[in-house]
Amino acid sequence: MQADEMESSMESPNLEFEYGDTDSLTPELSEIYSYTEEPEFALNRDYFEEDFRSHVRRRRWIELGQEQQRAYVMRLLDALEVTDRDKRLKVARAILYLAQGVFDECDTDADVIHWSRHNVFLLYDMGIFTALLELLSMEMDNNQACSSAVRKPAISLADSTELRVLLTIMYLMVETIRLQTEDDRPEWRTAREAFKTELGSPLYNGEPFALLLFTMVTKFCSMNAPHFPMKKVLLLLWKTILFTMGGFEELQEMKVRGRERLSLPPLPEDSIKVVRSMRAASPPASAMELIEQQQQAKRGRRSRRSAFVDSLEGDSPFPKKQPLVKQDSLDTYNERDPFKNDDARDEEEDGEEADSGIEGEVDPLDRDVIIQPPPPPPPLRPPTERASLPKGLPWAPKVREKDIEHFLETSRNKFIGFTLGNDTETLVGLPRPIHESVKTLKQHKYVSIAEMQIKREEELQQCPMTLGEEDVDETPTEILYLGMLPNLSQYVIALLKLLLAAAPTSKAKTDSINILADVLPEEMPITVLQSMKLGIDVNRHKEIIVKAISALLLLLLKHLKLNHIYQPLWLLAAYRQILHWNDRHTVKGSYVSPHEEKAMDRGRQNRERGETPSDKKWFEIVSQHLVFANCIPLILKFFNQNILSYISAKNSICVLDFPHCVVHEMPELTAESLEAGDHNQFCWRNLFSCINLLRILNKLTKWKHSRTMMLVVFKSAPILKRALKVKQATMQLYVLKLLKIQTKYLGRQWRKSNMKTMSAIYQKVRHRLNDDWAYGNDIDARPWDFQAEECALRESIEKFNSRRYDKNQNGEFAPVDNCLQSVLGQRVELPEDFHYSYEMWLEREVFSQPIQWEGLLQ
């Protein structure tokens, strides 16, 4: 990896990438198909032509009028209700061909997209989506297919044919209707709003459509339905949530309206516009550049020393040669004394590479040398290059209310000798400069919606009878959260398992889930060309899964935070549950304290005795200390690779992408053409996934001291610093945010050796006026009391959920049946999938588990 980084970081180009909700329509449509599914395009066309010719003679679909097309779609809708499974599949393929744009009657890619859009709105208007949803529910409950897939040693595309066809049609409908264009007809705009409301409302068996897809994800990860096509499910789930809740621009508008509703001042700037106007910074010096720079510095030191000796002898008062140093790496060079001895230089290099906080640098004033003035700086760039940049820093500084309180508390203790609690108005006895400082802080004070929500929640908890019940708007976010709440931890565990299995740094394990069920063909490749094609398809498949999960989690966090601050915190708390079930995926080489080892051992013993993570005592004692020992390392493990190679990966075959593959003639594929890949500068989905994961990591650690220290313990600084080599402004911004929150804990030596990174943080990241991030003089020395911080947070979340969603708040006063016979005689409703997996569950959970007879007797 180090050699690859040396080679690839010689001069990384600026990436012309604009971060947004999704890529353009054509790539998003093509990613629903795997290259292994290519023969099915002709199959869909043949089934459509066969049925269409039997009803309409000597005419093509694009030649029919609106009423004739509606009549034919109605026939297809009636044919979907037949009991014959094979006939039903043929009709579904004919509908899929319509949704794909009747490509056999089109000449260009644009024609395919046009007719696909026309047909999709027609299909929705005729009620096809509701019929497909009923078929999807029926396929999910197909116990015979599930049991057959469980017993199979190898699962292929053939095991999920019906599901893949249904999910593909639904994805094409959601993605096409979601995208708004200028030339949309008025009836299409009305249909879009109706479809959006329909997907976000609990119209499907009392729950929103996204919840049905979440159930498919958990069923797949529990190994009860290993044949489910997870890539299609995740893509459809992501686009459904994006459609019903809104993207980043809609979030910004909702945030503005929310602040107006709470009578808060407007936002100081539009964050989306600020990020898009940023320019990428030059990456830090690579290992090869540091070595070259060190050698040049040694040669320059010797030449200056010889010049100094010559000047004493009278030859020349000036050195003859100055070392040449690359401008991009001057930050490291200029911060060092060029006359330090080699040992001191080697120690400094080691300190930079290891990112240790040891402060052992030597003061250059103590040395008996004459320091020559530095070489003149190179000429500045022409002013035309910076004409479009805004003057000053891009972000307005912010100050929290508690920051002003802390500043006044410190000042009063220093000048008066006592404090006044949370009083930020009384300034009696304080000197004039403190008055000016408080005035400046109040000018930049920022009150967030989350702070208002927490304050309101505290009032409702203190005065429940006086304030009455809270009026909760039935938004799509609120409806989805209410449906997810009972099984939230299972949903998050399933998503993290899929992300772990699809990560490029994960190694295949025998007990890991198989995410390649919908990409592997029935017959494995026998030629080198087929093997190369399948290898590219598998890598592309994993990249798309990472893209969908990262975007899905980020959207959920942002929407839930805007809906209520305690909802995303509850979602983040659910991340912790994965440790209780799978504590084997910690990062290799990460620090695990003896307390954590004992906790893990206790957890394994509890699971052997049959105790589940729902045990509150277990959760409070152990999970808070291990809370992000799997989530933060999981993301760091993802970035612990040659990130430039990942972003520039060419796991795509352009001629096989839809709709190109169905319109143009297929050229002959060769091994050389597959190795060459496309001619794009970067892979859009991989860069998109990296930015999403960085944003998730920022949300996990923001304003959390203990979680920030986890970044330090897991040595994230060198991993994140390598990610700065990607010259894309949005990605660099979120990397610099993560570096900023831990800079004060990395030591003065690290800050001195990474001055270019420090400068980039100052230029690009928002400032908090009294945040001593760059110097670390006032390091927060609180102990790592995870339980105090996390348990208090969890208690507040549980109170919020109980007050807002628990309809039986007086349940503790309800009568309890203490009769053993009546309790055992009650009939328990078991899920349908429990019957066909009962024997497996009995063998795994009862017969194969040792019984602790001593514990039972006690």
Side-chain angles (χ1 to χ4, degrees):
M1 184 187 297
Q2 195 171 14
D4 292 342
E5 286 179 1
M6 285 184 179
E7 186 175 349
S8 60
S9 64
M10 292 298 293
E11 190 59 40
S12 54
N14 287 307
L15 303 181
E16 298 297 329
F17 171 86
E18 183 173 338
Y19 182 69
D21 296 320
T22 62
D23 201 352
S24 57
L25 178 61
T26 302
E28 293 293 339
L29 293 180
S30 67
E31 287 181 351
I32 192 65
Y33 309 103
S34 62
Y35 295 147
T36 317
E37 294 178 283
E38 179 196 355
E40 297 187 7
F41 288 118
L43 197 61
N44 300 336
R45 179 196 60 203
D46 295 340
Y47 284 139
F48 172 81
E49 294 290 345
E50 177 184 346
D51 185 78
F52 186 71
R53 294 294 169 235
S54 63
H55 294 91
V56 182
R57 299 183 182 278
R58 295 186 298 275
R59 297 185 69 183
R60 299 191 301 171
W61 170 263
I62 61 178
E63 297 173 351
L64 297 181
Q66 183 78 9
E67 293 302 323
Q68 292 174 309
Q69 291 178 348
R70 293 174 65 90
Y72 178 72
V73 172
M74 182 60 69
R75 284 196 210 91
L76 293 178
L77 185 60
D78 293 337
L80 277 179
E81 299 179 359
V82 299
T83 57
D84 191 336
R85 186 183 181 89
D86 294 334
K87 292 182 179 179
R88 202 166 57 232
L89 177 60
K90 289 182 179 181
V91 175
R93 286 195 178 277
I95 295 175
L96 176 57
Y97 178 72
L98 287 176
Q100 290 170 343
V102 287
F103 49 80
D104 199 47
E105 303 177 14
C106 301
D107 298 327
T108 62
D109 296 357
D111 291 341
V112 175
I113 299 299
H114 168 77
W115 281 105
S116 173
R117 189 171 186 80
H118 170 84
N119 295 340
V120 160
F121 277 99
L122 176 62
L123 293 175
Y124 172 72
D125 190 35
M126 299 302 296
I128 290 291
F129 191 87
T130 305
L132 294 176
L133 184 60
E134 295 177 358
L135 292 177
L136 180 64
S137 301
M138 189 167 59
E139 290 294 333
M140 285 179 57
D141 298 334
N142 188 349
N143 297 332
Q144 183 179 0
C146 293
S147 58
S148 175
V150 168
R151 291 192 298 266
K152 271 192 173 183
I155 304 174
S156 63
L157 280 170
D159 298 301
S160 59
T161 303
E162 292 82 2
L163 283 170
R164 286 189 294 106
V165 171
L166 296 175
L167 290 169
T168 302
I169 301 173
M170 300 172 87
Y171 176 83
L172 293 177
M173 294 183 69
V174 171
E175 178 64 8
T176 303
I177 297 177
R178 181 190 68 83
L179 191 64
Q180 187 173 357
T181 59
E182 297 179 356
D183 56 348
D184 279 351
R185 306 171 190 170
E187 59 269 21
W188 287 4
R189 296 177 182 175
T190 305
R192 177 181 298 108
E193 294 301 321
F195 192 33
K196 180 179 179 180
T197 305
E198 181 182 342
L199 288 177
S201 302
L203 301 179
Y204 307 107
N205 297 326
E207 58 186 26
F209 176 60
L211 207 59
L212 178 69
L213 299 176
F214 269 117
T215 305
M216 293 186 69
V217 174
T218 55
K219 199 170 181 180
F220 173 83
C221 290
S222 62
M223 306 302 291
N224 290 328
H227 66 295
F228 281 0
M230 265 304 102
K231 185 189 77 171
K232 298 181 186 295
V233 173
L234 291 170
L235 284 174
L236 180 56
L237 176 58
W238 166 38
K239 294 302 175 64
T240 300
I241 290 181
L242 178 62
F243 185 27
T244 55
M245 297 185 184
F248 299 136
E249 294 184 357
E250 288 86 349
L251 269 166
Q252 189 74 6
E253 295 173 359
M254 292 163 60
K255 192 173 183 180
V256 171
R257 293 196 298 268
R259 296 186 65 84
E260 292 177 353
R261 188 167 57 252
L262 295 173
S263 301
L264 294 174
L267 294 170
E269 70 277 304
D270 189 340
S271 58
I272 298 177
K273 294 181 180 178
V274 172
V275 172
R276 287 177 179 173
S277 64
M278 283 185 175
R279 290 173 53 184
S282 298
S286 64
M288 180 180 293
E289 292 168 353
L290 290 175
I291 295 173
E292 179 184 357
Q293 168 191 308
Q294 183 178 359
Q295 294 174 350
Q296 290 175 346
K298 289 180 180 179
R299 290 195 299 267
R301 182 174 66 251
R302 284 194 292 267
S303 64
R304 282 192 290 270
R305 284 180 176 173
S306 61
F308 177 67
V309 174
D310 292 343
S311 65
L312 294 179
E313 295 177 356
D315 292 341
S316 173
F318 301 105
K320 298 179 181 180
K321 185 179 180 182
Q322 293 288 350
L324 298 176
V325 181
K326 186 176 178 181
Q327 179 66 23
D328 285 347
S329 305
L330 281 179
D331 65 297
T332 312
Y333 178 78
N334 289 338
E335 289 303 313
R336 299 194 183 113
D337 178 10
F339 294 98
K340 285 184 182 179
N341 57 26
D342 296 343
D343 295 335
R345 182 178 301 276
D346 293 338
E347 290 175 4
E348 188 168 329
E349 291 289 337
D350 294 339
E352 178 183 358
E353 290 299 320
D355 289 284
S356 61
I358 302 174
E359 303 183 10
E361 65 270 22
V362 182
D363 191 350
L365 297 178
D366 295 338
R367 297 187 176 273
D368 252 356
V369 294
I370 299 177
I371 302 179
Q372 298 289 343
L380 298 176
R381 295 180 179 178
T384 55
E385 296 185 10
R386 298 186 179 270
S388 60
L389 284 179
K391 295 182 179 180
L393 297 175
W395 304 100
K398 288 181 179 179
V399 179
R400 296 182 298 171
E401 179 73 22
K402 61 173 60 176
D403 295 332
I404 302 178
E405 295 173 0
H406 178 69
F407 175 76
L408 282 174
E409 181 181 0
T410 305
S411 301
R412 287 168 182 152
N413 280 328
K414 180 178 180 180
F415 294 103
I416 303 177
F418 62 90
T419 61
L420 298 178
N422 298 331
D423 184 5
T424 59
E425 301 298 329
T426 305
L427 302 178
V428 178
L430 297 176
R432 188 65 185 174
I434 300 298
H435 289 229
E436 297 294 332
S437 300
V438 173
K439 180 180 178 181
T440 304
L441 290 174
K442 287 184 177 180
Q443 288 176 351
H444 295 88
K445 187 174 86 168
Y446 176 79
V447 180
S448 65
I449 296 177
E451 292 174 335
M452 299 295 293
Q453 291 172 343
I454 293 176
K455 183 178 179 181
R456 175 64 176 171
E457 182 64 25
E458 291 175 353
E459 294 174 352
L460 289 171
Q461 294 287 353
Q462 292 175 359
C463 309
M465 306 300 294
T466 306
L467 299 178
E469 293 186 0
E470 181 185 13
D471 294 331
V472 181
D473 297 333
E474 291 294 324
T475 61
T477 306
E478 183 70 25
I479 294 172
L480 180 62
Y481 179 76
L482 183 59
M484 293 176 63
L485 187 58
N487 302 311
L488 186 59
S489 61
Q490 298 179 21
Y491 300 145
V492 176
I493 288 172
L495 291 176
L496 287 180
K497 283 184 176 181
L498 291 170
L499 181 62
L500 180 67
T505 53
S506 297
K507 297 180 180 179
K509 297 184 179 181
T510 55
D511 57 347
S512 61
I513 54 180
N514 179 21
I515 59 173
L516 305 178
D518 52 335
V519 71
L520 296 178
E522 289 186 85
E523 298 180 0
M524 295 306 291
I526 56 176
T527 65
V528 175
L529 185 63
Q530 292 175 348
S531 300
M532 291 180 62
K533 179 182 173 183
L534 182 60
I536 292 175
D537 202 6
V538 167
N539 292 334
R540 174 178 177 268
H541 182 82
K542 292 182 178 181
E543 291 172 358
I544 295 172
I545 288 179
V546 173
K547 169 188 173 182
I549 294 176
S550 62
L552 172 62
L553 289 176
L554 181 61
L555 270 179
L556 282 175
L557 289 175
K558 292 187 71 66
H559 276 285
L560 291 175
K561 180 182 178 182
L562 188 58
N563 195 52
H564 199 287
I565 182 60
Y566 282 146
Q567 290 177 349
L569 293 178
W570 182 250
L571 180 65
L572 293 179
Y575 279 113
R576 314 165 191 174
Q577 297 285 348
I578 191 171
L579 272 175
H580 304 301
W581 299 106
N582 192 352
D583 49 26
R584 290 167 293 181
H585 295 299
T586 53
V587 168
K588 183 177 181 180
S590 60
Y591 173 74
V592 179
S593 66
H595 174 71
E596 291 173 329
E597 291 181 353
K598 293 179 181 178
M600 288 182 180
D601 292 338
R602 287 199 299 270
R604 296 187 187 99
Q605 294 172 5
N606 288 342
R607 289 198 294 274
E608 290 175 358
R609 291 195 296 266
E611 297 181 12
T612 64
S614 59
D615 187 350
K616 186 175 179 181
K617 183 178 180 181
W618 153 257
F619 186 90
E620 290 179 350
I621 293 176
V622 181
S623 69
Q624 270 71 23
H625 202 67
L626 302 176
V627 53
F628 296 107
N630 234 11
C631 189
I632 288 180
L634 178 58
I635 298 179
L636 293 178
K637 183 179 181 181
F638 180 89
F639 283 96
N640 192 20
Q641 58 174 317
N642 189 343
I643 202 68
L644 283 174
S645 299
Y646 180 73
I647 287 176
S648 59
K650 300 184 182 300
N651 292 316
S652 296
I653 307 174
C654 297
V655 295
L656 297 181
D657 286 338
F658 179 87
H660 186 279
C661 63
V662 295
V663 176
H664 305 278
E665 292 185 3
M666 185 68 60
E668 183 180 357
L669 295 177
T670 62
E672 291 76 14
S673 63
L674 293 182
E675 287 181 356
D678 53 27
H679 301 288
N680 294 330
Q681 187 184 16
F682 57 90
C683 179
W684 196 96
R685 61 174 168 266
N686 289 354
L687 186 51
F688 178 73
S689 302
C690 290
I691 296 175
N692 290 339
L693 291 174
L694 288 171
R695 297 186 70 179
I696 293 172
L697 194 56
N698 268 284
K699 290 193 172 296
L700 293 177
T701 56
K702 189 175 182 180
W703 301 120
K704 297 293 186 294
H705 169 70
S706 57
R707 301 171 192 174
T708 302
M709 294 306 296
M710 296 298 291
L711 290 176
V712 180
V713 168
F714 286 123
K715 302 186 185 301
S716 64
I719 298 175
L720 296 172
K721 189 179 171 185
R722 284 199 298 268
L724 286 176
K725 295 183 182 298
V726 180
K727 295 185 70 173
Q728 205 284 323
T730 307
M731 182 169 175
Q732 287 184 347
L733 172 65
Y734 292 106
V735 172
L736 293 172
K737 281 186 175 183
L738 290 168
L739 286 172
K740 178 187 175 183
I741 61 177
Q742 54 178 318
T743 297
K744 64 172 69 175
Y745 307 108
L746 297 176
R748 190 152 59 105
Q749 185 68 35
W750 188 92
R751 296 193 292 273
K752 181 181 177 183
S753 302
N754 294 272
M755 286 306 297
K756 185 169 186 177
T757 304
M758 301 289 289
S759 300
I761 293 174
Y762 177 81
Q763 293 172 0
K764 295 182 179 296
V765 182
R766 189 190 302 274
H767 290 277
R768 303 280 172 170
L769 291 183
N770 49 357
D771 182 11
D772 194 15
W773 67 271
Y775 302 99
N777 296 325
D778 186 23
I779 293 181
D780 193 348
R782 289 178 300 163
W784 289 22
D785 193 355
F786 282 68
Q787 293 186 20
E789 184 176 358
E790 300 292 341
C791 288
L793 180 62
R794 180 174 177 81
E795 183 181 1
S796 301
I797 295 170
E798 289 180 342
K799 287 181 179 179
F800 163 75
N801 286 328
S802 175
R803 179 195 62 79
R804 191 164 180 172
Y805 302 111
D806 189 4
K807 303 304 180 183
N808 301 318
Q809 297 187 10
N810 297 324
E812 56 184 87
F813 303 108
V816 178
D817 189 357
N818 294 322
C819 179
L820 180 62
Q821 292 183 350
S822 62
V823 171
L824 293 178
Q826 293 178 0
R827 183 175 181 83
V828 180
E829 295 293 336
L830 298 174
E832 295 183 5
D833 56 352
F834 181 78
H835 296 284
Y836 66 82
S837 61
Y838 172 70
E839 295 181 356
M840 294 175 54
W841 177 86
L842 199 63
E843 179 66 30
R844 184 177 68 249
E845 300 293 338
V846 180
F847 297 142
S848 62
Q849 295 292 333
I851 300 176
Q852 303 290 338
W853 297 104
E854 295 81 1
L856 288 175
L857 293 175
Q858 291 175 359

